[in-house]
Amino acid sequence: MPLATKIRRLIDLKRQPDGSEYPLAEIAREASRLYRDKKNLLANDEGGGEEKDVLNRQFLSELLSGKRTNPPFDKIEALSLFFEVSPAYFAIGAEVTDETRAAENEVQLIADLRELKEKLDTEGDEESEEGTELLAAIFRGAKEEDPQAVMGVLRMTLAAMKMNPRKERPS
């Protein structure tokens, strides 16, 4: 899957609290902030300098258009922090590994859980008992199949819910 497609998919999944898409400038700003926080970086190594931005809107636009296809690792790491995925998710071509495929599968599961959540949210004003039972079955199945997977499924469920916050229902 091309890098631009992977990034577009993450942009489609991660939404602002009001449900709208994050603007590229906001993604760049927040990804840069998260990267700085992780690396404790400043533009001026002597201290007191302006904070260094790893990403900007133009660079993201070039990634999405396919004009740039092989960004430096610091930019990949910043994107992975913002979208809460492994940096391995962004590997393409010959760089694809089992870790890359696992990260892609995790993003697909988040998309599936988001779709399930949207379906449950549109079923009516009452909470869906069927949806709750379905999620419980997912967790039971994960526990029976692989006890370590329970935490992964829980983490992905929470990420899916955070990526697509519940919309207010009209009164």
Side-chain angles (χ1 to χ4, degrees):
M1 177 183 321
L3 182 60
T5 303
K6 290 182 175 193
I7 295 170
R8 172 52 57 199
R9 185 171 201 194
L10 292 173
I11 290 171
D12 289 342
L13 283 175
K14 184 162 184 162
R15 296 298 178 150
Q16 296 190 77
D18 67 1
S20 65
E21 189 174 283
Y22 277 96
L24 293 183
E26 178 65 20
I27 293 171
R29 192 171 30 257
E30 183 62 13
S32 292
R33 184 193 66 76
L34 291 167
Y35 182 81
R36 280 192 312 272
D37 288 353
K38 181 177 180 185
K39 299 294 184 176
N40 197 19
L41 293 177
L42 294 175
N44 181 349
D45 287 341
E46 285 90 41
E50 290 187 25
E51 294 179 349
K52 180 181 179 181
D53 279 336
V54 175
L55 289 171
N56 61 45
R57 188 203 59 76
Q58 180 64 36
F59 190 87
L60 282 176
S61 180
E62 290 173 0
L63 286 174
L64 288 169
S65 72
K67 184 176 181 181
R68 289 188 185 250
T69 57
N70 192 18
F73 186 74
D74 61 339
K75 295 178 185 337
I76 292 296
E77 189 171 9
L79 287 170
S80 72
L81 290 168
F82 177 78
F83 289 114
E84 301 177 66
V85 297
S86 166
Y89 173 76
F90 297 98
I92 56 172
E95 299 173 1
V96 172
T97 64
D98 288 341
E99 186 180 356
T100 303
R101 285 185 276 285
E104 288 173 346
N105 290 338
E106 184 174 317
V107 170
Q108 180 60 49
L109 183 53
I110 291 170
D112 293 345
L113 288 169
R114 176 181 169 193
E115 183 178 336
L116 173 63
K117 183 181 179 300
E118 287 174 353
K119 183 175 186 261
L120 296 176
D121 284 349
T122 59
E123 286 185 357
D125 292 335
E126 303 279 328
E127 289 297 320
S128 169
E129 287 182 35
E130 180 182 334
T132 303
E133 290 172 16
L134 181 56
L135 289 175
I138 291 170
F139 290 124
R140 278 194 305 275
K143 184 176 179 184
E144 289 172 13
E145 193 67 35
D146 179 6
Q148 294 296 322
V150 173
M151 286 308 295
V153 172
L154 177 58
R155 185 172 51 87
M156 288 184 278
T157 302
L158 294 174
M161 290 178 171
K162 185 167 50 169
M163 286 181 170
N164 185 24
R166 187 181 181 121
K167 295 181 177 79
E168 296 284 327
R169 291 193 177 133
S171 302

